[in-house]
Amino acid sequence: MTAPAPDQAWDLVTAGGRQRVEVRGSVNRQVTWLRDGVVVARKKSMDDKIRVKPGDGLDEADRAALPDGLGMVGVVFTRMGRPRRATWYSPDEASELTSLTGLGGIDLDPEPGSRAAAYEDKVLAHPRRYAAIQTAGGVATVLVPILLAALLARVALTIPWPDWDLPSIPWPDWSLPSIPWPDLPSIPWPDWSLPGWLAWALDNASYVWPVVLAYVLARGEVRRRRQQAERRAAARASLEESTGESADESAEDRPGQL
């Protein structure tokens, strides 16, 4: 029986082989990692960041047949469960990796025509618009709770709550002794004040910080994707130089064995 087509797939061809990552499902996601057409690992998870190591989900015999030096694969999803990117990490990088921060590794190419491919094209083609959208999301995280709180307060004021006349509790009248604290000398602090913009930023830090963070992360993601595109191009050039074949030709001619 033929397996159903994946919801999203990525490919990457280097001198070490053809890496392919497939994702199926939106809530309980199954990630399948293949190298040269042979399954290296399968993993199910509901996490937004999934690390897949060689041998995950395989039986003992298939795990023992895997060669060394396969590295590791990381897949990142959005909060809505959409697969965003897949990254292959070399064995040296995989041994030191503790979290999928987006640093290191090489992003696989999303399958042409897929949602992930369209998203990456938009980010690289319109970086300012992408940053503006992400910043608008930061503004929304600040304004939406404020608007909801104001709306709830207005609704609460319009409700005719019953007038409860609760009895007062006769608390005892405690007269505590005063402690004669010594008079401390006053310190002649210099007379200075913060600049107006800095005072405003500190007073509104809880509102400003999410917006600034969204903008910084958006710009960092654009820069990261550009660097990844350069790394993929360098990997393809290295493969063509060492084998005399393009990455596409090498993928077609490579046998389906590890």
Side-chain angles (χ1 to χ4, degrees):
M1 182 176 178
T2 305
D7 298 328
Q8 178 65 52
W10 298 265
D11 292 281
L12 176 69
V13 180
T14 65
R18 174 171 183 166
Q19 312 290 341
R20 179 174 174 86
V21 176
E22 300 176 348
V23 171
R24 295 174 175 85
S26 58
V27 179
N28 189 16
R29 306 132 189 170
Q30 175 175 295
V31 178
T32 304
W33 173 19
L34 304 94
R35 197 192 79 159
D36 294 341
V38 177
V39 175
V40 173
R42 291 190 184 95
K43 187 172 185 179
K44 284 188 175 182
S45 176
M46 298 177 66
D47 296 336
D48 291 338
K49 295 181 179 181
I50 303 176
R51 285 187 286 178
V52 185
K53 298 179 180 180
D56 285 349
L58 303 183
D59 57 34
E60 187 174 352
D62 292 338
R63 192 181 301 115
L66 295 176
D68 297 330
L70 294 177
M72 190 185 75
V73 164
V75 184
V76 177
F77 297 79
T78 67
R79 293 182 180 179
M80 302 300 293
R82 295 177 180 175
R84 184 60 76 211
R85 71 171 185 265
T87 306
W88 175 74
Y89 298 90
S90 67
D92 293 338
E93 292 173 318
S95 63
E96 300 176 357
L97 192 67
T98 58
S99 63
L100 303 180
T101 58
L103 302 176
I106 302 180
D107 285 358
L108 281 71
D109 287 310
E111 205 166 44
S114 65
R115 179 173 289 179
Y119 177 83
E120 181 162 351
D121 291 342
K122 289 179 181 178
V123 172
L124 295 178
H126 307 283
R128 293 183 178 179
R129 184 172 68 182
Y130 170 78
I133 292 174
Q134 297 301 311
T135 304
V139 174
T141 60
V142 174
L143 294 182
V144 170
I146 295 176
L147 295 176
L148 288 178
L151 179 61
L152 292 176
R154 185 170 184 177
V155 171
L157 292 175
T158 59
I159 296 177
W161 300 102
D163 187 12
W164 289 297
D165 187 12
L166 299 177
S168 61
I169 301 175
W171 297 105
D173 185 12
W174 288 299
S175 179
L176 299 176
S178 61
I179 301 175
W181 298 105
D183 293 334
L184 298 176
S186 61
I187 301 176
W189 297 107
D191 186 12
W192 62 280
S193 58
L194 292 174
W197 65 269
L198 181 57
W200 181 90
L202 292 176
D203 291 339
N204 299 274
S206 59
Y207 307 115
V208 175
W209 173 244
V211 179
V212 174
L213 180 61
Y215 178 79
V216 171
L217 292 178
R219 297 299 300 177
E221 178 64 10
V222 172
R223 184 166 53 253
R224 192 196 70 82
R225 287 182 178 271
R226 285 175 175 169
Q227 292 172 348
Q228 285 293 331
E230 294 173 357
R231 294 194 68 177
R232 289 195 296 268
R236 294 190 187 98
S238 177
L239 177 63
E240 293 175 5
E241 182 179 349
S242 61
T243 63
E245 297 177 328
S246 68
D248 294 335
E249 292 173 346
S250 178
E252 294 174 355
D253 298 338
R254 191 180 298 276
Q257 299 180 357
L258 285 174

